[in-house]
């Protein structure tokens, strides 16, 4: 097992896989010839599993890369000045005590901050236009003031509250552009002419700084992009372009081949930046026709022309676009994308990426996100992109699908970025924002979001998926949980002479391991030794290394201490199975005994083990119950757990067998149990194994045949080449034609041998079920009749068949009204009474029904019922039907039992009132 089975070296990966199947991975890796399907040998947990009908992935992989860049001194000075202006104006806007006007001004300031991060051109033009519009407003106010009129400094603009701003985030690009320009140019927190004059002076100063940066050409963000474009379009860069690329920080292009024929989509948020980049990229690539643009101000026909030119014109290399190209446009002609500006709505990242990552895309899609280091909003986005990449590696590419659903402590990303701009100079604020982002990328929450978003859970049809899920739910309810192992081990180890003491809850110290256990471990030869003592052992992973406690050995199947204990217990007690036993059913007040046989059934194939026996490929334990009426049924799950052994003062087996109620019990019952197993259980087991094994064998046979046939062809061809060289007097010193021919012949022999082996593996047949033991189940009513003692309280309180059936019918009717699909499983003796299907999901609810009079003192629950509830705590319901004189009331108790019963306990009495007090209305 490895986290990195494929480290980029195909030769090493093939050698690794050859450890599992040498025939399927025979020979040296030769690129193009050796492409093998390893899905049945290696499990990759990747979310993007949508498949086409030919079983190939519907979508290629998509990868996002973060490209950080550091501002120049002039850019840093401009960033500091503009950010201080934005922060100060935010504070003034809040002081207006007008939420809508404050929201409008805040929206204008965020636009300004985003344009500051976009490009020197965008911030310069925005500052210039804002200064000119506010100057125009100032002149208008001064004129009105001279005329004796009093008017507010702020113009009458559309006012925006928080909901309006969120709506604008999702508005079409052309609509958003119009609103942004109007509000950015005019919205102000100034309340007087004097405040407006002061703001204009500030804008004039900022405009001068922006103009200086613009004229200096000190645009590090552009240089980073130029470096990236130079890597992508290597042969297409001109001498002029090469001079413009910043050699100090070349972009490392991960796993993307350089080619002048590639196409790239580049997104920016602002029209000024788009125009600026169109000129710069055209110069870099040496052709004005190498760039096409799409923005919200274009008509539909112009957009279509740009899209078609990008898709089909070989001269066009770059599509430069605002988010107008992120809306329903197919750009999959490219598989490379750059976010020159990062949107403040993360859903836009997915929308943009989705333009190239579409059905029909054949190339791995790459996205580069340019992020400024040492800026407040840049730091937030850098953290977000790091967490996004970690989540992508852990959960697959579908993590991009849920970006728009992420919540940062209930806030959208835009509010986090505003907070970073306003308060990001404070270290505690920066630390808290980073933690908020980390929390938003919690893996379990992301999984839930991804599964909610998933179009399908599998490539199978829905009905088959639901059936499989139901089987998984049932299997989970029956699985071997830590508490089973714990209760068995503690009892068995004590009987073998071991000393165990509980030190913390569910954690134990073993002070003495008997020599017989240590010696048995040496005989088994498992590997890890059994120690004479253990400081701590635990049976649950979560208890192995709790903080501040001693490290515990994890005792689970495969641990030598447990394996030695099991082996010794089986050796010493195996004969008891054949001898049989008598168990008492304390829940049955009747008089009719039953017989349960314990059988083992195996499936074999035609291949032979070293000992000469046919190989067993599956083995299963069966329980068949027979009653006095001649009925036989298969019990699915350890029924003996609900029964207790006979007590010393109770009648012995001979007394029970001498009773008239037991005169039907004879040696012939064993054959009857075998016959029922052969007719009813074995075919199901055989079909389950055969369908699974034959599919795997067919896949392996095709893979082996393809690989070895290619290798044989290679060595046949190589032998002919070498023979011709030898005849021409140019022999190969390292390999001659005879050796090459021998290799081909040896491979042919291996192919024939493996095909024969696989054919034998496909000949699957059942063995007859073998009876390992049996037991007589005596109802407590029969024991009481013989001894003359009254029935115990537990038996008296057990529902009679009519009451139990009525209680189940009531609960099943409630389940149907709740929209579930209940099935009565009482007579299968599974540890619950009703299986209730959640429609359309395959999910199951397991319901144990207890019908009692309202004045009952206790409810008796069997060990099996308790263990089932602990296996499926979230899906198990104890339904109590309380029969009152005026009708019945139904109570649902979730997580009714807190711990498993002790090893020798078969049932537990619970206080009726306490359970009802914890209950809730059926739901």
């Amino acid at each position: 097992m490895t986290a990195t089975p494929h480290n980029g070296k195909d030769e090493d990966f093939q050698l690794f896989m050859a450890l599992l199947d040498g025939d399927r991975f025979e020979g040296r890796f030769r690129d193009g010839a050796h492409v093998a399907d390893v899905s049945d040998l290696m499990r990759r947990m990747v979310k993007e599993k949508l498949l086409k009908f030919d079983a190939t992935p519907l979508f290629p992989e998509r990868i996002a890369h973060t490209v950080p860049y550091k501002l120049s001194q002039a850019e840093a000075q401009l960033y500091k000045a503009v950010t201080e202006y934005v922060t100060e104006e935010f504070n003034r806007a809040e002081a207006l005590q007008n939420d809508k006007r404050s929201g409008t001004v805040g929206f204008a300031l965020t636009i300004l901050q985003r344009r500051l991060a976009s490009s020197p051109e965008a911030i310069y033009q925005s500052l210039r236009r804002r200064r000119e519009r506010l100057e125009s407003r100032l002149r208008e106010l001064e004129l009105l003031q001279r005329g004796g009129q009093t008017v507010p400094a702020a113009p009458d603009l559309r006012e925006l509250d928080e909901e309006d701003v969120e709506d604008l985030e999702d508005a079409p690009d052309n609509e958003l552009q119009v609103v942004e320009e109007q509000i950015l140019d005019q919205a102000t927190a100034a309340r007087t002419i004097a405040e407006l004059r002061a703001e204009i002076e500030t804008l004039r100063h900022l405009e001068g700084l922006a103009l200086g940066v613009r004229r200096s050409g000190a645009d590090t963000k552009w240089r980073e992009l130029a470096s990236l474009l130079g890597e992508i379009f290597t042969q297409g860069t001109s001498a002029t372009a090469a001079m413009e690329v910043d050699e100090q920080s070349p972009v490392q292009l991960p796993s993307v081949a350089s080619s002048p024929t590639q196409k790239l989509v580049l997104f920016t948020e602002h029209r000024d930046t788009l125009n600026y980049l169109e000129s710069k990229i055209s110069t870099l690539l040496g052709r004005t026709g190498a760039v096409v643009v799409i923005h919200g101000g274009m008509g539909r026909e112009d957009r279509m022309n740009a899209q078609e030119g990008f898709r089909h014109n070989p001269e066009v290399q770059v599509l430069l676009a605002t988010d107008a190209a992120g809306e329903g446009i197919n750009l999959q002609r490219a598989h490379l994308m750059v976010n020159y500006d990062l949107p403040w709505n993360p859903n836009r990242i997915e929308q943009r990426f989705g333009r190239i990552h579409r059905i029909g895309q054949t190339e791995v899609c790459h996205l580069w996100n340019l992020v400024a280091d040492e800026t407040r909003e840049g730091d937030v986005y850098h953290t977000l992109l790091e967490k996004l990449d970690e989540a992508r590696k852990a959960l697959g590419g579908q993590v991009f699908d849920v970006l728009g659903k992420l919540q940062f402590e209930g806030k959208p990303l835009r509010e986090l970025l505003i907070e970073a701009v306003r308060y990001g100079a404070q270290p505690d604020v920066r630390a808290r924002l980073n933690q908020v982002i980390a929390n938003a990328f919690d893996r379990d929450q992301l999984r839930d979001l991804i599964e909610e978003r998933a179009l399908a859970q599998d490539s199978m049809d829905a009905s088959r998926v639901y059936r499989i899920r139901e089987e998984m739910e049932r299997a989970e309810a029956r699985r071997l949980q830590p508490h089973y192992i714990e209760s068995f081990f503690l009892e068995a180890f004590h009987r073998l002479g071991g000393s165990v003491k509980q030190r913390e809850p569910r954690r134990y110290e073993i002070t003495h391991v008997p020599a017989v256990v240590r010696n048995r471990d040496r005989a088994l030869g498992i590997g890890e030794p059994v120690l004479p003592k253990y400081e701590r052992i635990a049976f649950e992973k979560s208890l192995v290394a709790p903080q501040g406690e001693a490290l515990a050995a994890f005792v689970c199947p495969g641990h030598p201490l447990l394996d030695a204990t099991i082996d010794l217990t089986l050796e010493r007690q195996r004969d008891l199975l054949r001898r049989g036993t008598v168990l008492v059913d304390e829940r049955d007040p009747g008089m009719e005994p039953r017989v349960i046989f314990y059988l083992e059934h195996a499936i074999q194939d035609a291949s032979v083990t070293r000992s000469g026996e046919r190989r067993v490929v599956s083995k299963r334990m069966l329980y068949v119950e027979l009653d006095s009426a001649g009925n036989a049924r298969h019990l699915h799950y350890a029924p003996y757990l609900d029964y207790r052994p006979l007590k010393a003062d109770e009648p012995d087996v001979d007394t029970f067998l001498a009773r008239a109620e037991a005169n039907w019990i004879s040696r012939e019952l064993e054959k009857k149990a075998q016959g029922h197993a052969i007719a009813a259980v074995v075919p199901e087991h055989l079909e389950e194994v055969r369908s699974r094994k034959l599919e795997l064998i067919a896949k392996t046979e095709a893979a082996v045949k393809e690989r070895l046939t290619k290798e044989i062809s290679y060595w046949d061809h190589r032998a002919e080449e070498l023979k011709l060289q030898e005849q021409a007097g140019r022999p190969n010193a390292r390999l001659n034609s005879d050796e090459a021919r021998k290799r081909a012949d040896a491979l042919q022999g291996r192919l024939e041998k493996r095909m024969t082996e696989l054919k034998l593996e496909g000949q699957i047949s059942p063995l007859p079920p073998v009876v390992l033991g049996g037991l007589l189940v005596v109802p407590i009513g029969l024991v009481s009749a013989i001894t003359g003692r009254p029935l115990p309280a537990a038996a008296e309180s057990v529902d009679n068949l009519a009451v139990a059936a009525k209680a189940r019918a009531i609960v099943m009717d409630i389940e149907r009204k709740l929209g579930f699909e209940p099935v009565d499983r009482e007579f299968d003796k599974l540890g619950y009474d009703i299986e209730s299907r959640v429609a359309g999901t395959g999910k199951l609810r397991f319901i144990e029904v207890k019908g009692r009079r309202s004045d009952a003192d206790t409810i008796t629950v069997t060990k099996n019922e308790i263990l089932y509830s602990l296996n499926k705590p979230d899906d198990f319901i104890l339904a109590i039907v309380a029969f009152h004189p005026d009708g019945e009331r139904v109570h649902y108790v979730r997580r009714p039992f807190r711990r498993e019963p002790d090893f020798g306990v078969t049932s537990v009495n619970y206080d009726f009132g306490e359970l009802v007090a914890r209950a809730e209305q059926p739901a």
Side-chain angles (χ1 to χ4, degrees):
M1 181 178 291
T2 172
T4 55
H6 196 301
N7 59 0
K9 298 179 181 178
D10 291 306
E11 298 87 349
D12 293 351
F13 179 63
Q14 176 169 300
L15 291 171
F16 179 79
M17 297 306 295
L19 296 173
L20 301 176
D21 192 327
D23 291 334
R24 286 177 65 170
F25 301 92
E26 167 60 31
R28 294 178 58 190
F29 178 82
R30 285 184 286 280
D31 196 16
H34 290 166
V35 179
D37 175 16
V38 297
S39 60
D40 58 322
L41 299 176
M42 181 178 72
R43 190 81 181 271
R44 279 180 176 161
M45 305 306 289
V46 178
K47 286 294 181 182
E48 289 182 309
K49 283 285 187 180
L50 287 176
L51 303 179
K52 294 184 283 189
F53 286 118
D54 62 358
T56 57
L58 185 61
F59 291 94
E61 187 181 8
R62 48 179 166 172
I63 304 171
H65 313 281
T66 302
V67 182
Y69 62 93
K70 190 172 182 178
L71 299 179
S72 67
Q73 186 174 350
E75 288 173 309
Q77 184 182 0
L78 174 63
Y79 176 85
K80 182 174 182 294
V82 173
T83 302
E84 286 175 354
Y85 164 71
V86 167
T87 302
E88 183 179 337
E89 291 300 309
F90 256 117
N91 295 336
R92 288 175 60 191
E94 281 188 348
L96 294 174
Q97 297 183 341
N98 181 329
D99 288 344
K100 287 217 165 188
R101 188 179 166 199
S102 175
T104 305
V105 175
F107 182 67
L109 295 170
T110 58
I111 298 169
L112 202 62
Q113 190 74 28
R114 289 160 76 168
R115 294 189 178 184
L116 170 64
S118 180
S119 67
E121 180 70 14
I123 187 59
Y124 167 73
Q125 296 295 350
S126 298
L127 289 168
R128 179 186 59 79
R129 284 193 294 266
R130 180 171 175 80
R131 190 255 311 157
E132 289 175 353
R133 291 299 293 268
L134 292 183
E135 283 181 339
S136 174
R137 178 64 179 169
L138 177 62
R139 287 192 295 271
E140 180 183 347
L141 291 173
E142 289 173 337
L143 180 62
L144 291 171
Q145 188 181 52
R146 285 197 297 271
Q149 295 185 36
T150 303
V151 292
D156 186 17
L157 286 174
R158 172 183 176 182
E159 294 186 331
L160 305 173
D161 59 17
E162 190 171 329
E163 187 175 336
D164 294 329
V165 173
E166 287 183 9
D167 290 341
L168 280 173
E169 287 289 335
D170 295 321
D173 182 66
N174 55 342
E175 180 183 330
L176 180 62
Q177 186 78 24
V178 171
V179 175
E180 279 188 355
E181 294 301 334
Q182 182 187 31
I183 290 177
L184 175 60
D185 292 352
Q186 299 182 61
T188 176
R191 288 169 293 188
T192 64
I193 291 177
E195 287 181 357
L196 188 58
R197 284 198 191 100
E199 185 175 356
I200 290 170
E201 284 302 312
T202 302
L203 287 170
R204 189 173 285 114
H205 169 67
L206 296 175
E207 182 184 342
L209 292 177
L211 181 60
V213 172
R214 178 172 177 254
R215 286 175 175 171
S216 71
D219 187 351
T220 53
K221 187 178 184 181
W222 158 249
R223 289 179 176 272
E224 204 68 41
L225 175 64
S227 175
L228 177 60
L229 296 178
E231 289 285 329
I232 292 173
F233 306 121
T234 304
Q235 299 170 24
T237 52
S238 65
T240 306
M243 291 173 61
E244 287 195 42
V245 176
D246 184 1
E247 296 178 358
Q248 299 301 315
S249 59
V251 176
Q252 298 298 314
L253 207 62
S255 63
V256 178
S258 300
S259 169
T261 62
Q262 293 189 116
K263 292 180 183 281
L264 176 139
V265 180
L266 194 152
F267 276 97
T268 178
E269 290 217 300
H270 310 292
R271 194 82 55 81
D272 292 324
T273 301
L274 183 140
N275 296 332
Y276 169 75
L277 288 177
E278 182 181 12
S279 172
K280 300 282 278 185
I281 296 172
S282 298
T283 303
L284 178 70
L285 299 179
R287 302 186 318 277
T288 55
V291 182
V292 293
V293 300
I294 294 179
H295 57 76
M298 297 170 63
R300 184 176 180 276
E301 185 175 343
D302 290 337
R303 288 195 202 188
M304 290 298 297
N305 289 338
Q307 181 182 339
E308 291 303 302
F310 179 70
R311 292 174 63 186
H312 301 296
N313 187 342
E315 297 295 316
V316 177
Q317 293 176 274
V318 176
L319 171 67
L320 184 57
T322 62
D323 280 313
E327 300 155 5
I329 294 180
N330 182 356
L331 302 176
Q332 69 184 42
R333 175 65 179 81
H335 67 281
L336 308 176
M337 180 178 289
V338 175
N339 274 329
Y340 195 76
D341 299 331
L342 282 164
W344 282 26
N345 178 355
N347 194 41
R348 294 274 189 182
I349 295 180
E350 157 54 24
Q351 289 174 352
R352 294 174 180 182
F353 216 174
R355 296 310 98 213
I356 63 172
H357 191 254
R358 302 171 66 85
I359 295 176
Q361 177 62 266
T362 59
E363 301 287 338
V364 174
C365 297
H366 291 270
L367 168 66
W368 287 271
N369 295 303
L370 274 64
V371 183
D373 277 342
E374 300 175 351
T375 64
R376 298 177 186 182
E377 64 273 34
D379 288 345
V380 170
Y381 234 121
H382 201 285
T383 303
L384 184 146
L385 293 172
E386 282 182 351
K387 296 298 179 183
L388 175 62
D389 191 53
E390 291 173 12
R392 181 193 65 81
K393 290 173 182 175
L395 302 174
Q398 282 191 358
V399 70
F400 293 105
D401 293 334
V402 297
L403 280 178
K405 290 188 175 184
L406 290 181
Q407 287 289 306
F408 304 88
E409 290 190 347
K411 301 176 183 176
L413 177 64
R414 175 178 50 80
E415 291 188 25
L416 244 68
L417 291 166
I418 291 172
E419 191 173 353
V421 169
R422 296 183 65 185
Y423 310 113
Q426 303 170 25
D428 58 327
V429 172
R430 284 203 304 271
R432 185 179 59 79
L433 292 177
N434 287 338
Q435 187 57 51
V436 168
I437 292 171
N439 294 342
F441 281 87
D442 175 77
R443 195 168 296 179
D444 290 336
Q445 290 183 33
L446 281 175
R447 270 200 196 94
D448 292 341
L449 287 173
I450 288 168
E451 288 171 4
E452 286 175 15
R453 179 71 180 263
L455 297 174
Q457 298 298 321
D458 205 330
S459 56
M460 298 177 288
D461 64 89
S463 62
R464 187 178 172 202
V465 172
Y466 297 157
R467 287 198 303 274
I468 289 175
R469 179 167 184 179
E470 286 177 17
E471 289 305 315
M472 290 175 66
E473 294 264 337
R474 294 186 187 105
E476 188 176 2
R478 295 194 301 266
R479 67 183 173 180
L480 192 65
Q481 286 281 27
H483 46 257
Y484 289 75
I485 299 168
E486 180 179 354
S487 59
F488 162 78
F489 176 81
L490 294 176
E491 180 70 19
F493 190 67
H494 174 72
R495 293 191 180 195
L496 291 171
S499 300
V500 185
K501 297 179 181 178
Q502 182 167 329
R503 297 304 187 191
E504 297 91 28
R506 308 294 294 276
R507 284 165 51 90
Y508 304 87
E509 179 186 5
I510 294 183
T511 56
H512 171 64
V513 177
V516 64
V517 177
R518 299 200 303 273
N519 293 337
R520 178 51 56 100
D521 169 59
R522 296 190 190 102
L524 291 174
I526 294 172
E528 183 183 342
V530 170
L531 305 177
K533 57 179 66 176
Y534 290 83
E535 183 181 7
R536 290 292 185 275
I537 65 167
F539 300 89
E540 295 191 45
K541 275 188 178 180
S542 60
L543 299 175
V544 169
Q547 190 172 5
E549 303 285 352
L551 180 68
F554 182 31
V555 177
C556 60
H559 191 282
L561 180 61
L562 177 62
D563 288 349
T565 303
I566 291 172
D567 197 64
L568 278 167
T569 302
L570 284 173
E571 180 185 273
R572 295 184 178 188
Q573 312 295 340
R574 194 183 299 272
D575 65 309
L576 292 177
L577 292 174
R578 291 297 303 172
R579 286 162 54 190
T581 189
V582 179
L583 297 179
V584 178
D585 183 355
E586 291 199 327
R587 302 178 71 223
D588 184 357
M591 298 289 288
E592 298 294 332
R594 308 183 299 278
V595 176
I596 295 177
F597 285 98
Y598 170 61
L599 304 92
E600 181 180 80
H601 180 243
I603 305 288
Q604 64 181 8
D605 63 22
S607 55
V608 179
T609 63
R610 290 180 181 177
S611 62
E613 300 174 344
R614 293 181 69 175
R615 186 177 63 167
V616 173
V617 295
S618 178
K619 190 178 287 186
R620 185 169 290 178
M621 303 306 164
L622 315 173
Y623 304 97
V624 175
E625 182 185 82
L626 304 172
D627 62 22
S628 59
N631 300 316
R633 62 173 178 157
H634 175 214
L635 302 180
H636 292 273
Y637 188 60
Y640 51 83
L641 292 176
D642 289 339
Y643 311 139
R644 67 164 176 82
L646 282 171
K647 297 176 182 177
D649 59 349
E650 290 177 335
D652 59 17
V653 63
D654 293 329
T655 304
F656 289 117
L657 291 177
R659 296 277 301 187
E661 292 89 350
N663 59 13
W664 60 277
I665 299 173
S666 68
R667 294 183 180 276
E668 297 302 314
L669 291 180
E670 185 172 315
K671 292 181 180 178
K672 187 172 183 179
Q674 276 183 305
H676 177 78
I678 291 169
V681 185
V682 170
E684 180 184 333
H685 185 197
L686 177 62
E687 178 56 31
E688 180 185 326
V689 174
R690 180 177 279 161
S691 59
R692 174 169 43 86
K693 287 288 291 182
L694 291 182
E695 181 181 355
L696 178 60
I697 289 168
K699 187 173 186 177
T700 304
E701 184 176 338
V704 169
K705 189 180 291 184
E706 179 185 15
R707 187 58 169 258
L708 290 182
T709 300
K710 285 182 178 179
E711 281 294 301
I712 292 166
S713 299
Y714 171 80
W715 286 109
D716 278 338
H717 178 69
R718 188 77 176 118
E720 290 299 321
E721 281 185 336
L722 291 169
K723 190 172 183 179
L724 290 173
Q725 289 178 17
E726 290 162 1
Q727 289 173 351
R730 294 181 287 105
N732 188 311
R734 300 170 63 183
L735 182 68
N736 60 46
S737 59
D738 288 340
E739 286 297 320
R741 181 70 61 195
K742 286 179 184 177
R743 290 193 186 185
D745 292 343
L747 290 170
Q748 183 64 43
R750 275 176 59 181
L751 177 59
E752 293 171 0
K753 181 173 181 284
R754 186 66 184 277
M755 291 298 106
T756 301
E757 291 173 351
L758 289 170
K759 183 176 285 188
L760 292 174
E761 289 180 23
Q763 297 175 21
I764 297 171
S765 59
L767 288 166
V770 177
V771 176
L772 299 179
L775 56 97
L776 177 65
V777 181
V778 180
I780 190 64
L782 181 58
V783 175
S784 297
I786 295 173
T787 60
R789 299 169 188 161
L791 285 172
E796 287 181 343
S797 66
V798 172
D799 308 331
N800 60 44
L801 290 177
V803 173
K806 183 178 180 181
R808 289 198 307 278
I810 291 169
V811 172
M812 289 180 68
D813 185 55
I814 288 173
E815 287 291 294
R816 291 189 191 99
K817 290 177 180 176
L818 291 172
F820 303 113
E821 301 169 6
V823 177
D824 192 337
R825 302 297 298 271
E826 154 67 15
F827 296 103
D828 292 329
K829 301 296 181 186
L830 295 172
Y832 53 87
D833 294 323
I834 295 172
E835 219 174 62
S836 192
R837 184 183 295 112
V838 181
T841 67
K843 189 173 177 61
L844 298 175
R845 290 150 58 100
F846 303 97
I847 305 175
E848 173 62 27
V849 181
K850 299 293 181 184
R852 293 290 184 274
R853 291 191 327 189
S854 59
D855 59 351
D857 295 324
T858 62
I859 285 181
T860 303
V861 185
T862 70
K863 186 172 188 174
N864 245 346
E865 292 163 356
I866 295 172
L867 294 179
Y868 256 89
S869 77
L870 296 174
N871 273 4
K872 296 288 290 181
D874 295 328
D875 302 313
F876 188 95
I877 299 170
L878 177 64
I880 301 173
V881 181
F883 292 100
H884 294 259
D886 58 346
E888 66 278 339
R889 294 171 195 163
V890 180
H891 310 273
Y892 275 15
V893 186
R894 307 267 183 177
R895 295 179 177 266
F897 316 120
R898 294 182 172 85
R899 68 178 301 273
E900 67 279 3
D902 294 333
F903 184 78
V905 172
T906 58
S907 63
V908 179
N909 288 332
Y910 286 87
D911 183 84
F912 181 86
E914 192 271 336
L915 284 174
V916 170
R918 289 199 286 126
E920 56 191 41
Q921 288 297 313

